[in-house]
Amino acid sequence: MIHMLHDINDCYTLSNGVKIPCVGYGTYVESDAEKNVEVIGQAIRAGYRLLDTASFYGTETYMAQALKKCGIPREEFFITSKVWKTEMGYEQTKEAFDRTLENLQTDYLDMYLIHWPVPGADCEDWRQLDADTWRAMEELYEEGRIRAIGVSNFLPHHIENLLENGRIAPMVDQLEFHPGYHQAVTLHYCKEHNIRVQAWSPLGRRRVLEDPLILELARKYETSAAQICLRFAFQEEVIPLPKASSLERMEQNQDIFSFEISREDMYRLETMPQTGWSGQHPDGLL
Ligand code: A2P
């Protein structure tokens, strides 16, 4: 499949037939508030059309301004947002969704995800909470207000709960994914269930960019360490969502189609010791 993809906006097809770009852009709040709209605008000018936000990130309103400024039709974008831990539940999710649309100044989302499966280690009935949240998402999807629905940070047991209690299977699971933390078990599970995996922190928030193996491969393939991480995700058929604040990095992060990591080197990346993990466990465990 990936041999047919040569550009960040070439698409995979999700289980419901919706097309999704093979590389996206992850947003996060800049310390300098003035810069937020400018950075997202620059990502759009650099060519990104899959833009990832979440109510929790605080970037929805900046994204709305950048989208308005750029003058490119809404339909050319694939916009994802997520329902936060404190917004979960049937009614709350619908309210959160309306707030998100309002923030984004749009009347539909391309994709909406449950941000985390368990709001805290002390949550006693996450199964019910997830099922209620999912029921709201299913309805919004069926009303045509969301083109694809999915989850984020869900491990197989969390997905299993939705498959048992819901009517529609999630189309995407967005996970922390990078060399040194590539979640082989969940990745395998998602592939078996036709759930497309996206990678948040595909560069391990820079923690893996100094790793000796990554540096060795960057030298070997004459690329940067970041490009090794992104190409690794791509070859695993995972959609990376790198964040970057400079045009140079935004462009570099798209240049992953002109080299191929060998099967042998992929194996080394897949089996390297755990490194660069954010420490955020979906079940709130250590
Ligand atoms: P900056 O924000 O200064 O552009 P992740 O997506 O894994 O969370 O990583 C985001 C971090 O990686 C940001 O600090 C970003 O820096 C940095 N980054 C993005 N692209 C590159 C790149 N091509 N080379 C090095 N660092 C990068």
Side-chain angles (χ1 to χ4, degrees):
M1 171 66 209
I2 60 164
H3 294 292
M4 294 159 70
L5 306 173
H6 307 290
D7 178 274
I8 59 161
N9 292 315
D10 285 347
C11 290
Y12 293 109
T13 304
L14 297 177
S15 59
N16 65 341
V18 164
K19 304 255 189 248
I20 184 167
C22 65
V23 177
Y25 178 73
T27 58
Y28 59 123
V29 174
E30 291 285 328
S31 45
D32 174 3
E34 294 283 301
K35 259 187 89 182
N36 280 296
V37 180
E38 177 48 31
V39 168
I40 299 173
Q42 196 160 57
I44 293 170
R45 286 192 296 282
Y48 292 96
R49 293 295 174 266
L50 165 45
L51 303 177
D52 186 87
T53 183
S55 60
F56 182 69
Y57 300 163
T59 50
E60 290 174 333
T61 53
Y62 301 125
M63 192 181 287
Q65 291 176 59
L67 288 169
K68 194 169 169 197
K69 264 190 171 170
C70 77
I72 298 169
R74 165 71 181 87
E75 317 77 72
E76 291 193 20
F77 290 94
F78 191 103
I79 310 252
T80 303
S81 195
K82 312 182 191 82
V83 54
W84 184 239
K85 293 173 181 177
T86 52
E87 298 172 322
M88 292 170 77
Y90 177 75
E91 291 295 340
Q92 293 90 322
T93 297
K94 292 204 167 177
E95 287 163 19
F97 178 73
D98 284 338
R99 274 195 302 276
T100 279
L101 287 193
E102 176 70 23
N103 287 341
L104 281 163
Q105 291 290 300
T106 184
D107 54 6
Y108 73 97
L109 281 186
D110 295 280
M111 192 155 75
Y112 199 40
L113 309 177
I114 304 181
H115 207 142
W116 287 91
V118 180
D122 56 349
C123 175
E124 283 177 11
D125 201 357
W126 62 264
R127 284 188 168 76
Q128 187 63 45
L129 188 62
D130 284 6
D132 291 344
T133 304
W134 191 244
R135 191 157 49 86
M137 311 253 299
E138 288 175 328
E139 289 180 13
L140 293 164
Y141 171 71
E142 285 171 331
E143 287 163 15
R145 303 178 74 198
I146 312 173
R147 296 177 63 230
I149 49 176
V151 295
S152 182
N153 302 299
F154 273 50
L155 304 177
H157 55 285
H158 305 122
I159 299 175
E160 223 39 83
N161 176 49
L162 294 189
L163 297 181
E164 279 164 19
N165 294 301
R167 292 179 293 113
I168 302 174
M171 290 133 206
V172 161
D173 191 3
Q174 186 179 122
L175 301 170
E176 177 174 354
F177 175 103
H178 49 76
Y181 198 74
H182 88 298
Q183 311 222 42
V185 174
T186 306
L187 186 63
H188 179 73
Y189 178 90
C190 286
K191 281 190 176 164
E192 277 196 326
H193 289 81
N194 198 13
I195 298 170
R196 178 65 53 185
V197 172
Q198 293 188 313
W200 63 263
S201 272
L203 311 177
R205 214 145 284 172
R206 290 168 99 154
R207 287 182 290 266
V208 293
L209 299 183
E210 300 294 323
D211 181 272
L213 174 60
I214 308 287
L215 290 173
E216 179 197 322
L217 296 181
R219 276 193 301 276
K220 175 173 171 183
Y221 291 95
E222 298 180 340
T223 62
S224 70
Q227 286 165 311
I228 292 292
C229 296
L230 298 170
R231 180 74 202 186
F232 171 67
F234 179 68
Q235 287 187 216
E236 295 282 0
E237 302 195 0
V238 167
I239 299 173
L241 304 168
K243 307 181 204 77
S245 58
S246 75
L247 181 61
E248 187 196 342
R249 284 173 174 164
M250 289 173 185
E251 287 178 343
Q252 183 193 119
N253 295 346
Q254 301 184 26
D255 185 10
I256 60 165
F257 300 96
S258 56
F259 68 103
E260 184 173 350
I261 302 173
S262 71
R263 191 56 250 162
E264 192 181 339
D265 289 334
M266 283 296 286
Y267 183 79
R268 294 175 74 198
L269 289 167
E270 285 162 350
T271 55
M272 67 193 268
Q274 180 169 308
T275 178
W277 180 42
S278 67
Q280 299 180 63
H281 192 288
D283 283 320
L285 308 170
L286 289 178

